[in-house]
């Protein structure tokens, strides 16, 4: 073989016999580009076709696979412009029917006399009919999956065994794909180089890789399939954890230029000025961060802690440490309002100690902006606060050493890297209140050190949550009034499906007007929304903070980070439109002081998923439990996707189901990297190669 040719497993699927450019393009949409991709392309489910049921025996209400003959078929137009294809089908035991809505093309595909496989649920009420060809009689399946059999030799691939059913996109045919993959598995799986170290594989009792791949596509039994799947998932998770462990190990080999004076006049003065004592958890986390700053290699740490636990003050201590060491620090927040709030808190605590800070806000006058950029470039501004505006090219620092990213899940990987790129090996702290279940944290942040604040400051009032119906509005307003009468403040959150929609905005402002004029004339009500100018928003927030506004009607922009301790009541309109994580963030705006707080949901939603979400939300205020619930409800794909970590796409492993494997893979990866950081040992050569390819995998 000429050296320029791709190794057999890396050859493009396009050149495999029977594929060609059009099919290759379809396969590429499913993530299958090379022969190796195809071998790892996992079925969506399996059907046990070793023994098919008959129409007579098949239990109603359950999923069954039937092998039947098409006796007659019809295509009709029904109410609402929909189409209905109905086939009457039969086997030796009786007759039945299958119907499909809005798939008129099926009428052409079904030929009378042909044999087909149907997979679906038998309608509970349907009874087996007599063995005759009366249309509409007997058992019925609604929208079954359909597979044509042609009676040829090849049918043995599709019947008489446990058959894989692959995820498809439009235009790709199940039988065609099954045949293609069966061919490739037969021909090429033997070429797969097992990257799992042999002793490990043997210890777990796992089959060699080629055999596991064969089981994946053509299971000999469900037990064997489960073992093979575990082995393959572990292999994939191991690659992921190796990539993360290596990244982490490499970061530890870097040396940063900055040194810190951790205990000094500024940090001491800050401690004295604090109106409260740090909690044990805050002290511990602060120690962990300071330990990082003290090391030669840069800090790369995630600070997580539920809403209101007090992450900000930990950050302020680190900023003080940087300032007393003559270094610059940058704080990036996802919204203007949060950046302004941080700027205010930082100026309030550090300003009197002589630390100069500057906010790079939107909408600054050009001269003012130039001045601030100048202060950043000259090093005169010790602490710089801003939104993603901080990563703009024209923002240059004199001696940036510490980078803090708040609510980091709101930023993409690239944005974080850009900010860090403005310094030479900076110390990086990322903070999040979006609670992440441990398994996900391991998947996503295996390269970060993690610190967790797991306690709230003492004396916090309890937050209760109530779910009210539209019909209970009077009761709702009475509850709000009770809080306002005590001198507390409140939020009314009014979701705009689209920030830019004027219709929705009008609804929110009508709401604000209604509340002011008809419901709460005795207090000041104001509207805050995303389309306002930054300066206007900030003025409103300030007025709210100072207690000049009692009730703030707002779109979701109050979501992250805002801290107005006197606010103790929140009404959430249409809570069913929010995800659990968002609801939790919203509710986190109240209950930030000693006053008991009260979160009121107004919803008549009858939709199952929404009900289950809201129910969970009413039952607990524990962010980690809600996150677990969210994960179970929606699966990790969406969570991971939302968090913009697209650079790996797990093909076989599922971090919800495979938690134990994930932990095991993480330990194994750490052990391997500790022993052999670059994976140079011959025993792990295959692993090293796989890892290189894994890194290139399209996200
Ligand atoms: P988050 O972790 O959600 O960012 P913040 O840092 O905004 O929370 O803190 C929430 C509130 O708790 C703030 O008003 C802050 O001043 C207050 N706080 C923080 N730490 C303590 C503490 N140890 N004791 C009392 N109050 C605290
Ligand atoms: Mg915060």
């Amino acid at each position: 073989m000429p050296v320029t040719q791709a190794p057999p497993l890396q050859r493009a699927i396009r050149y495999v016999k029977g594929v060609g450019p059009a099919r290759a393009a379809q396969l590429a949409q499913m993530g299958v580009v090379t022969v190796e991709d195809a071998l790892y392309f996992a079925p969506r489910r399996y059907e046990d076709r070793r023994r098919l049921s008959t129409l007579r025996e098949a239990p109603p209400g359950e999923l069954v696979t039937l092998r039947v003959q098409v006796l007659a078929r019809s295509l009709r137009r029904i109410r609402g412009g929909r189409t209905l294809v109905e086939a009457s089908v039969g086997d030796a035991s009786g007759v039945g029917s299958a119907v499909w809505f809005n798939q008129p093309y099926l009428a052409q595909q079904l030929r009378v006399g042909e044999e087909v496989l149907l997979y679906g649920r038998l309608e509970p009420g349907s009874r087996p009919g007599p063995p005759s060809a009366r249309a509409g009689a007997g058992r019925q399946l609604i929208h079954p999956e359909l597979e044509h059999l042609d009676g040829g030799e090849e049918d043995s691939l599709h019947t008489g065994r446990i058959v894989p059913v692959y995820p498809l996109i439009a235009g790709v045919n199940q039988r065609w794909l099954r045949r293609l993959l069966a061919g490739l598995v037969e021909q090429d799986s033997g070429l797969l180089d097992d990257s799992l170290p042999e002793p490990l594989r043997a210890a777990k009792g796992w089959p060699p890789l080629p055999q596991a791949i064969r089981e994946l596509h053509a299971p000999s039994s469900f037990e064997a399939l489960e073992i093979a799947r575990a082995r393959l998932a572990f292999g994939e998770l191991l690659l992921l954890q190796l990539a993360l462990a290596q990244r982490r190990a490499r970061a530890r080999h870097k040396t940063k230029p900055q040194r810190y004076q951790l205990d000094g006049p500024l940090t001491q003065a800050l401690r004295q000025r604090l109106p409260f004592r740090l909690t044990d958890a805050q002290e511990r986390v602060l120690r962990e961060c300071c330990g990082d700053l003290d090391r030669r290699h840069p800090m790369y740490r995630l600070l997580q802690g539920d809403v209101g636990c007090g992450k900000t003050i930990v950050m302020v201590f680190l900023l003080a440490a940087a300032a007393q060491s003559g270094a610059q620090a940058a704080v990036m927040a996802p919204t203007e309002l949060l950046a302004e709030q941080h700027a205010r808190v930082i100026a309030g605590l550090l300003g009197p100690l002589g630390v100069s800070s500057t906010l790079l806000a939107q909408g600054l006058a050009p001269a003012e902006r130039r001045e601030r950029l100048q202060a950043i470039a000259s090093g005169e501004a010790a602490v710089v606060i801003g939104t993603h505006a901080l990563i703009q090219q024209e923002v240059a620092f004199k001696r940036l050493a510490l980078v803090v990213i708040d609510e980091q899940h709101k930023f993409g990987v690239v944005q974080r890297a850009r900010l860090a790129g403005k310094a030479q090996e900076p110390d990086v702290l990322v903070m999040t209140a979006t609670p992440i279940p441990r398994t996900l944290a391991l998947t996503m942040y295996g390269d970060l050190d993690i610190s967790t604040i797991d306690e709230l400051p003492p004396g916090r009032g309890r937050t209760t949550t109530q779910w009210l119906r539209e019909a209970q509005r009077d009761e709702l307003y009475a509850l709000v009034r009770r809080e306002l009468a005590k001198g507390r403040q409140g939020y009314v959150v009014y979701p705009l499906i689209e920030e830019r929609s004027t219709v929705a905005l009008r609804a929110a402002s009508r709401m604000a007007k209604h509340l002011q004029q008809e419901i709460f004339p005795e207090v000041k009500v104001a509207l805050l929304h995303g389309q306002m100018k930054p300066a206007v928003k900030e003025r409103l927030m300030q007025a709210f903070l100072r207690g000049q506004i009692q009730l703030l009607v707002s779109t979701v922009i109050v979501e992250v980070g805002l801290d107005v301790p006197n606010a103790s009541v929140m009404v959430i309109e249409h809570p069913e439109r929010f995800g659990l994580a968002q609801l939790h963030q919203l509710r986190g705006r109240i209950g930030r002081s000693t006053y008991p707080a009260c979160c009121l949901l107004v919803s008549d939603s009858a939709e199952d998923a929404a009900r289950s979400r809201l129910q969970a939300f009413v039952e607990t205020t524990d962010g980690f439990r809600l996150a677990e619930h969210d994960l179970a409800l929606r699966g990790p794909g969406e969570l991971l996707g939302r968090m913009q970590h697209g650079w790996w796409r797990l093909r076989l492993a599922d971090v919800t189901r495979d938690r134990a494997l994930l932990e095991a893979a993480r330990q194994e990866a750490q052990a391997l990297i500790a022993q052999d950081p670059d994976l140079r040992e011959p025993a792990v050569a295959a692993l090293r190669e796989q890892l290189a390819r894994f890194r290139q995998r399209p996200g």
Side-chain angles (χ1 to χ4, degrees), residues 276-279 282 307-312 457 460 563 565 592:
F276 47 71
R277 285 192 47 196
L278 293 187
T279 62
Q282 284 169 320
V307 285
C309 71
K311 295 181 287 297
T312 313
R460 281 280 160 89
D563 185 43
R592 298 172 84 84

